[in-house]
Amino acid sequence: MNKYDMSADIERVLLSEQDLKDTVARIGKEICKDYKDSPNPLILVSVLKGSVVFMGDLMRAIDIPCFIDFMSVSSYGAGTTSSGVVKIIKDLDTNAIEGADLLIVEDILDSGKTLYYLKQILQARNPASIKICTLLDKPERRTAPITADYVGATIPDAFVVGYGLDYAEKYRNLPYVGILKPSVYADDK
Ligand code: IMP
Ligand code: MG
């Protein structure tokens, strides 16, 4: 891979570093307020890899005790279209989540298929509660019946990268969220 300035591939910045800081602080406060009186352990479940940057910042914006865990899933189906059936690539390290408050931390809610199935898989293990926290939400694209409990920002139907989000595994390390220039992925479509 050639080394060059990645920002040249960004059409427009949607969330600056400061916007992201403010957003994470706001969500962290909401989470603390909602869970501070719960007697159950709070487990933040980060969905790899897109949510790792958000997770790293969010957990530090939460000042009540919590645990962290990670899952990796892939959506697979016939050809290029996702069936919405989720295959677990890496499961939680925590064996028993029964009686815990689970908070799924995602980078972006798009069609919603991934989280819809992930929520069902986790629900079957009898946690006390399951909620969803997503940094970004693209409601126009939703096909699965799912909504997030905490949303950082609602964004238009554009392909975005940065702050953990990738295109072909690239741009995750950009410190802001930006719309990728369509010319970057035009050849791959
Ligand atoms: P869903 O099952 O369609 O909601 O898929 C959500 C997943 O698709 C996210 O966790 C991302 O990995 C990926 N995704 C959806 N939209 C974007 C985007 O604009 N940029 C980068 N990844 C995206
Ligand atoms: Mg993802």
Side-chain angles (χ1 to χ4, degrees):
M1 194 189 293
N2 291 329
K3 305 288 196 296
Y4 65 99
D5 181 8
M6 292 184 294
S7 63
D9 291 343
I10 303 303
E11 189 170 272
R12 184 159 66 89
V13 174
L14 271 187
L15 295 167
S16 66
E17 289 189 67
Q18 189 59 51
D19 294 337
L20 289 162
K21 273 197 184 124
D22 295 345
T23 300
V24 169
R26 171 179 58 80
I27 298 182
K29 278 204 190 96
E30 282 178 41
I31 291 170
C32 291
K33 181 164 73 65
D34 294 349
Y35 288 94
K36 67 177 185 347
D37 297 322
S38 170
N40 312 314
L42 172 61
I43 308 177
L44 308 181
V45 175
S46 159
V47 186
L48 295 170
K49 308 174 194 166
S51 71
V52 289
V53 182
F54 180 40
M55 176 77 157
D57 285 344
L58 182 66
M59 60 189 277
R60 288 176 292 173
I62 295 174
D63 58 10
I64 54 173
C66 69
F67 300 88
I68 63 166
D69 209 335
F70 297 86
M71 269 186 102
S72 180
V73 296
S74 81
S75 222
Y76 69 109
T80 51
T81 49
S82 154
S83 64
V85 176
V86 165
K87 180 173 149 199
I88 297 179
I89 307 291
K90 184 224 167 289
D91 206 336
L92 297 175
D93 291 338
T94 320
N95 289 321
I97 58 169
E98 202 172 326
D101 289 323
L102 288 193
L103 183 60
I104 302 175
V105 178
E106 248 293 34
D107 52 354
I108 187 164
L109 194 47
D110 189 38
S111 74
K113 287 178 180 174
T114 310
L115 278 187
Y116 179 72
Y117 277 86
L118 186 58
K119 203 175 170 184
Q120 286 189 336
I121 290 168
L122 294 173
Q123 193 79 63
R125 302 181 191 174
N126 296 321
S129 70
I130 303 188
K131 282 194 189 180
I132 292 172
C133 174
T134 187
L135 176 68
L136 305 171
D137 189 8
K138 279 191 209 171
E140 285 169 56
R141 301 253 310 162
R142 198 67 36 77
T143 57
I146 194 145
T147 49
D149 301 279
Y150 305 93
V151 175
T154 300
I155 62 163
D157 179 12
F159 197 83
V160 295
V161 294
Y163 197 70
L165 290 111
D166 72 309
Y167 169 66
E169 295 298 326
K170 226 169 119 183
Y171 308 106
R172 292 194 197 274
N173 57 322
L174 279 175
Y176 53 84
V177 173
I179 298 178
L180 190 62
K181 284 183 183 166
S183 56
V184 175
Y185 53 85
D187 294 346
D188 294 346
K189 280 214 159 165

